[in-house]
C-alpha cells in the first residue's frame, strides 16, 4: 500500500490541515513537523523511519531495537534468540532489566520500574530530556472507529481473573488495535457486569440498595504539549498527531467505556471549551475544569454523569504560590464532592480528586508539596461532621513511578524523608540527578499546611464555605502536628488509607504494566487511588482499620505491558490517540 493510499483513511479535512501546517505563519516547531512529514511522504517509509530514528538518542536497554521492526516482524520473531542480536538478552526473560531495577522498599510488587531517560543536556530543571526514541510504525491497517476496545466480560471467580487466553490473542492483533479486558474481583456479582448490560446493571444494583459506579483517569495529551515537545513524536506519522484525528479516537474510547466519572488531564482549554465540554454535556456529563496557572493552556477536568451524581462542591487547587519560591510551578488539581443519586443514605458523598503533578525528574520537593496541598484540600472537602472522611478517589498523572517515595507516601500514609535526595523522591529517573537532600521541613510554615497534610490556617476566600466542623478539624490537627513535628520533624503523614486500583505488575508474569509509553519511557505514572472498604479484596493492608464504609473495587480495565504496546507502534498510534492509556475502575459504595 502506498503512502498516498493511506491518507484516504484519514478523517475528512486532514489534507487541508496537512497543507496548512506547512504554512509559514505557523510556529517553527510546527513547520519542522510539516517538513518531517513531507519527507516521510515522499520517500519509502521504512527508509525514512530508520533515518529518523537514527538521529535520536536512545537508551540501549530500553527497546533499542524496536524502531527497526514492524509489528509483523515482532509477533513472529520476538521469541527467537537471533532476533535480539549479540549482547541483547531477550526482553521477556527479564534478565537485561535486572540491573536497572528501582531500588525502593518492596511495595507489593513494586521493585521493578522503568524511568524516563535522563539527559545531562537538560536546559532547565523543568526540561525533560530532549530526544526521545520512538518506535517506527508500519501502520497499514486502519480499523473501524466503532471497533470495541474492551470486548470480554468474565465470569465470577474466587480471585482476580486474567482474561486473555494467550499472549497472541492479547497482542498480535493484525488490525493494529490492542484489546484490553475487564478484570473482576472476588465476590463479584454476575448481575453487575458493566458495559454490555449497563442499563440492567444500574437497575439491579440500585434495587439492591447498592450504588455502583465507574471512574476513568485519562491523560489525553494536550495538543499544545505535543507540539511543544514535537521532537518526541518524530517517528509518528504526522496526520495521527493532529488534534482533528486524535479527538474522535479519544471520544470514541470515552464513549465506549462509558464511565460515570471522567478525570481527564492535559485538557487544553480551547479544545475543552469548543469541543470536549459540549460533546461530553451532550452525552449526559456535567463538566468541571481547572486550567493550569501561568501561561499553560491545559488543565484538569472532572466530568460526571448527571444521572448518577449531584454536585455538592467544586474546589480547584492551584499549586503556584507567588509568595513561596518553592512553589513556582503551574500545576493544578481539582476536588469535587459528589452526592450519589439513588443511594439509600441521603447524606452519602464521594470525594473525587484529579491532578497532574509536576513533570520534573529532579524536583521531588515540589512534587511532594503539590501532593500535600492536594491532600489538604481533599481533607477539607471530604471531612464529615463526625470527624471521619467520606470515601475518596484520587485520580491523576503523578509523574512518579510505583515504589517511589511519593507513591509510597500516598499508599502508606507516612513518609520519613530525612536524608532523601530530591531526585529520588521525584521518582522519574532510574539514576536520579537531583542529589540535594530534602530540607526539613520541605515547605515553609507560611504555606499553612501541616506535616499531616491538612490546613493549619483558614484559606483566604474559603471562609464562606468553611463551616464550624472545619474549624474544629483545624484545631485538632494543629495540636497533632505540633506533637508530630516535635517528635518526628522529618515525617510526613496523611489521614487517608488509600489503595491503588492497579497493582502495576501483571499478576502471573510480574512484568510491569505501563500507563504511558512513548519513545523514551514506558512506565506507570497514572493512578486511581481510593479509600477501600473493610471487605475490599484489593485493599492496601491496613485499610480495614479506618473505614467502616468506603469503596469496594469491583473491577478494572486491564493495563498493558510495554511489549503489548510496541506491537501497535507504541503511543500514540492509529487507535490510541494519547501517549497515555486510560485507567478505568468500577466501585461499589459501601455504607458507613
Ligand atoms: O510525562 V507527562 O508529559 O505525565 O505525559 O507530564 C508532562 C510531560 C506534561 C505536563 O508538563 O508535559 C510533558 N519534555 C518532555 N515532556 C514534557 C516536558 C519536557 N521538557 N515538559 C513537559 N512535558
Amino acid at each position: 500500500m502506498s503512502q498516498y493510499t493511506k491518507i484516504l483513511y484519514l478523517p475528512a479535512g486532514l489534507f487541508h490541515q496537512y497543507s496548512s501546517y506547512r504554512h509559514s505563519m505557523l510556529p517553527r516547531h510546527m513547520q519542522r513537523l510539516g517538513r518531517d512529514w513531507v519527507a516521510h511522504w515522499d520517500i519509502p517509509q521504512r527508509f525514512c523511519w530508520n533515518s529518523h530514528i537514527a538521529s535520536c538518542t536512545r537508551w540501549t536497554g530500553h527497546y533499542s531495537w524496536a524502531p527497526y521492526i514492524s509489528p509483523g516482524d515482532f509477533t513472529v520473531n520476538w521469541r527467537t534468540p537471533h532476533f535480539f542480536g549479540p549482547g541483547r538478552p531477550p526482553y521477556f526473560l527479564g534478565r537485561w532489566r535486572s540491573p536497572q531495577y528501582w531500588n525502593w522498599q518492596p511495595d507489593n510488587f513494586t521493585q521493578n520500574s522503568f524511568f524516563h531517560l535522563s539527559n545531562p543536556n537538560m536546559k532547565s530543571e523543568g526540561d525533560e530530556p530532549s530526544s526521545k526514541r520512538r518506535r517506527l510504525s508500519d501502520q497499514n491497517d486502519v480499523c473501524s472507529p466503532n471497533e470495541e476496545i474492551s470486548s470480554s466480560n468474565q465470569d465470577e471467580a474466587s480471585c482476580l481473573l486474567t482474561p486473555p487466553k494467550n499472549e497472541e490473542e492479547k497482542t498480535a492483533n493484525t488490525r493494529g488495535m490492542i484489546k484490553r479486558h475487564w478484570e473482576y474481583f472476588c465476590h463479584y456479582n454476575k448481575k453487575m457486569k458493566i458495559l454490555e448490560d449497563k442499563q440492567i446493571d444500574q437497575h439491579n444494583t440500585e434495587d439492591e440498595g447498592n450504588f455502583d459506579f465507574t471512574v476513568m483517569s485519562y491523560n489525553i495529551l494536550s495538543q499544545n504539549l505535543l507540539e511543544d515537545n514535537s521532537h518526541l513524536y518524530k517517528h509518528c506519522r504526522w496526520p495521527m498527531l493532529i488534534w482533528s484525528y486524535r479527538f474522535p479516537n479519544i471520544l470514541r474510547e470515552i464513549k465506549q467505556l462509558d464511565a460515570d466519572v471522567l478525570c481527564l488531564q492535559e485538557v487544553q482549554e480551547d479544545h475543552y471549551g469548543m469541543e470536549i465540554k459540549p460533546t461530553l454535556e451532550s452525552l449526559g456529563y456535567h463538566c468541571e475544569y481547572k486550567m493550569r496557572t501561568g501561561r499553560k493552556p491545559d488543565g484538569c477536568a472532572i466530568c460526571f454523569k448527571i444521572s448518577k451524581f449531584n454536585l455538592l462542591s467544586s474546589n480547584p487547587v492551584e499549586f503556584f504560590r507567588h509568595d513561596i519560591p518553592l512553589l513556582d510551578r503551574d500545576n493544578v488539581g481539582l476536588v469535587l464532592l459528589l452526592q450519589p443519586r439513588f443511594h439509600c443514605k441521603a447524606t452519602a458523598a464521594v470525594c473525587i480528586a484529579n491532578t497532574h503533578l509536576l513533570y520534573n525528574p529532579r524536583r521531588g520537593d515540589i512534587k511532594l508539596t503539590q501532593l500535600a496541598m492536594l491532600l489538604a484540600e481533599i481533607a477539607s472537602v471530604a471531612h464529615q461532621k463526625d470527624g471521619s472522611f467520606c470515601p475518596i478517589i484520587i485520580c491523576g498523572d503523578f509523574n512518579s513511578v510505583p515504589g517511589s517515595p511519593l507513591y509510597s507516601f500516598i499508599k502508606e500514609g507516612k513518609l520519613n524523608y530525612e536524608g532523601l535526595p530530591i531526585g529520588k523522591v521525584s521518582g522519574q529517573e532510574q539514576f536520579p540527578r537531583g542529589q540535594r537532600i530534602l530540607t526539613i521541613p520541605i515547605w515553609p510554615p507560611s504555606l499553612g499546611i501541616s506535616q499531616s497534610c491538612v490546613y493549619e490556617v483558614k484559606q483566604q476566600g474559603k471562609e464562606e464555605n468553611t463551616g464550624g466542623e472545619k474549624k474544629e478539624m483545624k484545631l485538632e490537627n494543629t495540636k497533632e502536628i505540633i506533637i508530630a513535628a516535635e517528635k518526628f520533624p522529618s515525617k510526613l503523614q496523611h489521614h487517608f488509607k488509600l489503595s491503588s486500583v492497579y497493582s502495576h505488575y501483571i499478576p502471573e508474569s510480574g512484568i510491569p504494566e505501563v500507563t504511558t509509553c512513548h519513545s523514551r519511557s514506558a512506565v506507570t505514572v497514572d493512578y486511581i487511588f481510593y479509600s477501600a472498604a473493610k471487605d475490599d479484596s484489593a485493599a492496601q493492608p491496613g485499610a480495614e482499620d479506618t473505614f467502616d464504609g468506603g469503596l469496594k473495587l469491583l473491577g478494572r480495565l486491564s493495563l498493558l505491558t510495554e511489549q503489548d504496546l510496541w506491537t501497535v507502534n507504541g503511543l500514540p498510534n492509529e487507535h490510541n490517540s494519547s501517549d497515555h492509556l486510560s485507567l478505568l475502575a468500577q466501585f461499589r459504595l459501601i455504607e458507613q
Side-chain angles (χ1 to χ4, degrees):
M1 188 185 297
S2 76
Q3 295 284 355
Y4 285 98
T5 319
K6 279 184 208 167
I7 204 160
L8 296 175
Y9 289 100
L10 297 171
L14 270 187
F15 270 113
H16 171 75
Q17 293 211 18
Y18 161 61
S19 51
S20 74
Y21 275 116
R22 298 169 68 189
H23 195 275
S24 59
M25 292 292 285
L26 285 165
R28 202 173 307 142
H29 63 269
M30 296 290 289
Q31 295 174 35
R32 203 168 52 236
L33 272 172
R35 281 199 301 276
D36 289 342
W37 172 242
V38 175
H40 287 165
W41 198 258
D42 294 341
I43 58 179
Q45 186 183 26
R46 185 68 62 94
F47 175 77
C48 292
W49 291 130
N50 287 349
S51 58
H52 222 142
I53 296 293
S55 68
C56 298
T57 303
R58 284 179 284 111
W59 182 12
T60 51
H62 205 141
Y63 276 95
S64 58
W65 39 268
Y68 304 97
I69 55 171
S70 71
D73 297 334
F74 187 80
T75 49
V76 171
N77 292 330
W78 66 266
R79 290 170 201 276
T80 59
H82 73 268
F83 173 67
F84 296 92
R88 260 182 210 156
Y91 164 59
F92 290 102
L93 300 181
R95 273 179 270 150
W96 62 282
R97 283 209 166 154
S98 302
Q100 301 168 355
Y101 284 171
W102 189 240
N103 233 355
W104 303 111
Q105 287 287 21
D107 181 341
N108 296 336
F109 299 99
T110 59
Q111 274 175 309
N112 340 347
S113 298
F114 308 142
F115 292 83
H116 290 268
L117 179 61
S118 63
N119 181 347
N121 299 324
M122 278 171 68
K123 289 194 293 288
S124 73
E125 286 188 316
D127 287 346
E128 207 217 359
S130 61
S131 56
K132 289 198 173 186
R133 172 192 55 76
R134 277 283 188 158
R135 185 183 191 282
L136 73 90
S137 56
D138 189 3
Q139 298 159 346
N140 290 330
D141 305 309
V142 176
C143 196
S144 149
N146 297 321
E147 183 99 18
E148 287 286 320
I149 287 178
S150 169
S151 59
S152 72
N153 263 349
Q154 303 298 313
D155 287 340
E156 183 178 350
S158 59
C159 60
L160 182 67
L161 293 175
T162 50
K165 291 191 189 76
N166 55 52
E167 205 61 28
E168 279 66 33
E169 181 200 329
K170 191 174 165 193
T171 60
N173 188 325
T174 52
R175 302 172 77 188
M177 179 175 269
I178 202 152
K179 283 185 179 174
R180 296 174 64 187
H181 300 263
W182 277 97
E183 299 173 331
Y184 297 129
F185 286 88
C186 304
H187 315 303
Y188 189 81
N189 184 339
K190 278 184 193 174
K191 275 191 277 182
M192 297 186 306
K193 279 182 183 176
I194 43 182
L195 292 182
E196 284 93 331
D197 305 319
K198 189 99 186 161
Q199 292 306 316
I200 299 165
D201 290 341
Q202 283 184 3
H203 287 123
N204 281 341
T205 57
E206 282 153 16
D207 286 351
E208 290 163 9
N210 293 318
F211 183 81
D212 298 345
F213 61 103
T214 51
V215 177
M216 170 190 275
S217 183
Y218 196 9
N219 179 328
I220 61 171
L221 179 57
S222 92
Q223 195 63 19
N224 188 270
L225 283 168
L226 183 155
E227 290 165 11
D228 279 355
N229 300 295
S230 59
H231 56 285
L232 308 179
Y233 304 99
K234 267 184 178 176
H235 76 291
C236 290
R237 293 203 292 137
W238 169 235
M240 280 170 210
L241 297 178
I242 296 171
W243 178 247
S244 62
Y245 180 84
R246 296 199 300 119
F247 181 57
N249 268 348
I250 290 167
L251 192 60
R252 171 181 50 79
E253 190 173 348
I254 287 173
K255 276 185 185 170
Q256 283 175 352
L257 296 176
D258 195 29
D260 297 315
V261 183
L262 309 172
C263 290
L264 306 176
Q265 303 89 36
E266 291 197 26
V267 179
Q268 193 168 308
E269 194 207 17
D270 54 343
H271 293 152
Y272 175 74
M274 288 188 303
E275 294 167 278
I276 299 172
K277 186 170 188 252
T279 313
L280 291 178
E281 282 175 347
S282 74
L283 295 172
Y285 289 93
H286 172 91
C287 301
E288 292 287 319
Y289 179 70
K290 176 59 190 165
M291 191 177 155
R292 283 205 285 164
T293 49
R295 307 176 85 185
K296 308 292 189 313
D298 69 290
C300 294
I302 305 182
C303 312
F304 61 88
K305 291 261 183 76
I306 50 179
S307 59
K308 289 286 263 197
F309 294 99
N310 293 321
L311 179 63
L312 294 176
S313 72
S314 178
N315 309 271
V317 189
E318 294 184 354
F319 300 138
F320 178 87
R321 284 281 296 260
H322 64 87
D323 55 333
I324 299 179
L326 174 73
L327 293 170
D328 62 349
R329 308 303 161 105
D330 292 310
N331 307 83
V332 295
L334 181 60
V335 184
L336 301 193
L337 191 63
L338 300 180
Q339 180 186 39
R341 288 171 179 261
F342 319 117
H343 193 268
C344 49
K345 198 174 162 192
T347 54
V350 182
C351 177
I352 312 242
N354 185 20
T355 193
H356 187 180
L357 297 187
L358 176 68
Y359 175 93
N360 190 310
R362 301 185 212 216
R363 300 304 300 270
D365 51 344
I366 301 179
K367 285 177 169 179
L368 261 187
T369 310
Q370 292 183 342
L371 178 63
M373 293 170 82
L374 182 72
L375 292 170
E377 186 64 24
I378 293 170
S380 168
V381 170
H383 186 240
Q384 301 183 124
K385 280 184 184 153
D386 64 359
S388 66
F389 297 103
C390 71
I392 291 157
I393 296 174
I394 310 179
C395 295
D397 176 345
F398 291 76
N399 270 316
S400 201
V401 299
S404 67
L406 189 122
Y407 171 89
S408 302
F409 174 52
I410 296 173
K411 275 190 73 174
E412 286 160 23
K414 53 186 194 254
L415 176 72
N416 186 351
Y417 61 84
E418 187 175 7
L420 287 183
I422 53 172
K424 188 173 180 181
V425 172
S426 174
Q428 274 182 242
E429 286 180 342
Q430 184 189 5
F431 303 110
R433 284 163 298 154
Q435 292 302 323
R436 179 166 64 73
I437 302 299
L438 279 173
T439 57
I440 301 175
I442 301 171
W443 56 83
S446 58
L447 181 59
I449 292 177
S450 74
Q451 298 287 290
S452 287
C453 300
V454 293
Y455 292 130
E456 287 177 308
V457 288
K458 253 193 289 180
Q459 291 213 308
Q460 266 191 355
K462 290 216 154 197
E463 304 222 354
E464 319 82 63
N465 301 330
T466 310
E469 305 109 49
K470 286 183 184 171
K471 281 180 205 161
E472 274 169 34
M473 181 180 136
K474 184 198 88 184
L475 292 173
E476 188 186 297
N477 283 307
T478 307
K479 268 187 259 160
E480 184 189 322
I481 293 329
I482 292 166
I483 295 163
E486 281 168 2
K487 283 191 181 168
F488 310 106
S490 61
K491 199 169 166 188
L492 287 185
Q493 51 192 11
H494 69 71
H495 288 277
F496 317 119
K497 287 281 181 189
L498 296 169
S499 300
S500 170
V501 165
Y502 290 92
S503 54
H504 319 307
Y505 292 84
I506 305 293
E508 295 115 3
S509 63
I511 294 173
E513 297 170 341
V514 299
T515 64
T516 179
C517 178
H518 52 60
S519 58
R520 284 180 62 92
S521 75
V523 290
T524 285
V525 291
D526 305 274
Y527 304 93
I528 302 177
F529 296 107
Y530 67 104
S531 40
K534 259 182 182 167
D535 62 342
D536 181 81
S537 56
Q540 162 86 345
E544 66 277 4
D545 301 342
T546 309
F547 292 98
D548 287 335
L551 298 165
K552 188 167 172 175
L553 181 63
L554 299 179
R556 67 188 177 202
L557 186 62
S558 67
L559 282 172
L560 301 167
T561 66
E562 182 181 10
Q563 179 224 347
D564 296 336
L565 285 166
W566 284 125
T567 64
V568 289
N569 310 308
L571 295 172
N573 58 47
E574 281 169 281
H575 309 294
N576 305 96
S577 283
S578 171
D579 58 356
H580 290 247
L581 291 173
S582 57
L583 281 61
L584 182 62
Q586 189 189 32
F587 297 104
R588 172 168 293 178
L589 184 58
I590 304 294
E591 284 286 329
Q592 281 183 299

